Amino acid sequence: MTGYQLLPVFLVGLAGSVHCVGMCGGIVGAISASAGKSGPRGLPRNVIPIQRAAGFAGRALAFGAPPAHPPSPARALPRVLAYNAGRIGSYMLAGALAGGLAGGAQDLAQLAGLQLGFYWLANLMLVALGLYLMNAWRGLATLERAGRVLWQRAQPWMAPAMKTLMPADRPHQAFALGALWGWLPCGMVYSVLLTAMLSGSALGGALVMLAFGLGTLPMLTGLGLLGARLRNALQQRKVRIACGLLVLAFGLLGIARAAGVVGGHAVTPAWMDILCLTPHP
């Protein structure tokens, strides 16, 4: 997978990161605030104790009143970046596993028809993600609930680690917390993992998820440093619709290409390779 083919993956991560406001906004805010004075049990005062969190699923760390003396962005930045590095690292590991497994299966048997089916599925997932971001269709929420069942089974083993890492007032704690949080059930991540699978190799899958993670980085870094101001701006309906339309356009273009409506001739136009999320099988 070449660099220009990773560009739309980055853009999907950038546009789709409005979804991260709900999924990761709470914990990023908690990490940012962890330099402030702590309340009971050493947790930041604006964070609900972890045993009261709703199973670490979705908006697991809720906010109360803002801290009396929030840390400066300069003090919060190392922890916020460390958290995101851990989160993106877990995405890359998942992408490497998906790409490696698919590549191995393709080597064992020539599954061109199956690969084409996954290509259709990957672009249909993008359409679903675009509609999900616009709140026009909530089908991906069902997928997230299915993944949450596995997360809840793992919770008894992960809860002690989470409690040990909070408050993540040191970069290495924030990194470890991000590495765990990256496995949180998320329809947006599942959508891009299908593209990672189509890359056909562990390296390709890791690069796809790296591009996606870097796309989400500006939004989550901004949430950690600007907090409620950015969160309120991103929750506006027009912002979500604009981001959803961009992701939807990528999915519809891929479907049109798979159906031969565009780019169906022998020589594929260069712009198709740049704008389609994955190369056509």
Side-chain angles (χ1 to χ4, degrees):
M1 190 164 256
T2 60
Y4 65 77
Q5 288 171 337
L6 294 174
L7 176 62
V9 182
F10 173 85
L11 293 176
V12 166
L14 185 63
S17 57
V18 295
H19 179 56
C20 301
V21 177
M23 293 294 289
C24 295
I27 192 166
V28 172
I31 291 171
S32 176
S34 63
K37 294 181 179 179
S38 296
R41 304 183 188 181
L43 290 173
R45 285 182 292 178
N46 65 326
V47 182
I48 291 177
I50 202 144
Q51 60 267 30
R52 290 172 54 193
F56 304 118
R59 299 160 181 80
L61 290 176
F63 281 78
H69 303 286
S72 66
R75 293 181 61 191
L77 184 60
R79 292 188 306 282
V80 171
L81 290 179
Y83 163 80
N84 282 293
R87 178 180 60 86
I88 294 172
S90 66
Y91 291 168
M92 293 178 67
L93 176 58
L97 291 173
L101 289 174
Q106 189 176 1
D107 289 340
L108 292 174
Q110 298 301 314
L111 303 178
L114 184 59
Q115 190 179 18
L116 181 60
F118 274 113
Y119 180 84
W120 272 88
L121 181 59
N123 286 288
L124 286 172
M125 285 288 285
L126 282 182
V127 171
L129 177 58
L131 296 173
Y132 183 41
L133 293 175
M134 293 187 287
N135 286 324
W137 183 66
R138 304 289 295 175
L140 281 184
T142 303
L143 184 60
E144 287 180 349
R145 285 194 294 270
R148 203 165 293 168
V149 173
L150 296 176
W151 179 266
Q152 288 171 346
R153 290 183 180 275
Q155 182 182 335
W157 291 274
M158 297 184 70
M162 289 282 195
K163 291 172 68 174
T164 301
L165 294 171
M166 290 296 293
D169 53 2
R170 301 181 189 279
H172 72 274
Q173 292 174 313
F175 178 88
L177 197 60
L180 288 175
W181 209 262
W183 298 97
L184 188 78
C186 176
M188 186 172 72
V189 174
Y190 296 158
S191 301
V192 185
L193 272 175
L194 282 171
T195 300
M197 185 180 296
L198 282 170
S199 69
S201 69
L203 177 59
L207 289 176
V208 167
M209 297 309 293
L210 173 62
F212 167 75
L214 291 177
T216 66
L217 185 60
M219 194 76 74
L220 284 176
T221 302
L223 279 173
L225 301 182
L226 300 177
R229 286 175 291 174
L230 181 59
R231 189 177 299 113
N232 292 337
L234 295 176
Q235 288 175 340
Q236 295 183 34
R237 186 169 181 269
K238 60 184 179 182
V239 174
R240 294 188 65 91
I241 288 178
C243 292
L245 284 174
L246 178 60
V247 177
L248 180 63
F250 281 122
L252 291 176
L253 180 63
I255 290 173
R257 186 184 193 186
V261 177
V262 291
H265 39 79
V267 180
T268 303
W271 64 269
M272 287 291 296
D273 286 331
I274 294 173
L275 293 180
C276 282
L277 205 65
T278 57
H280 195 276

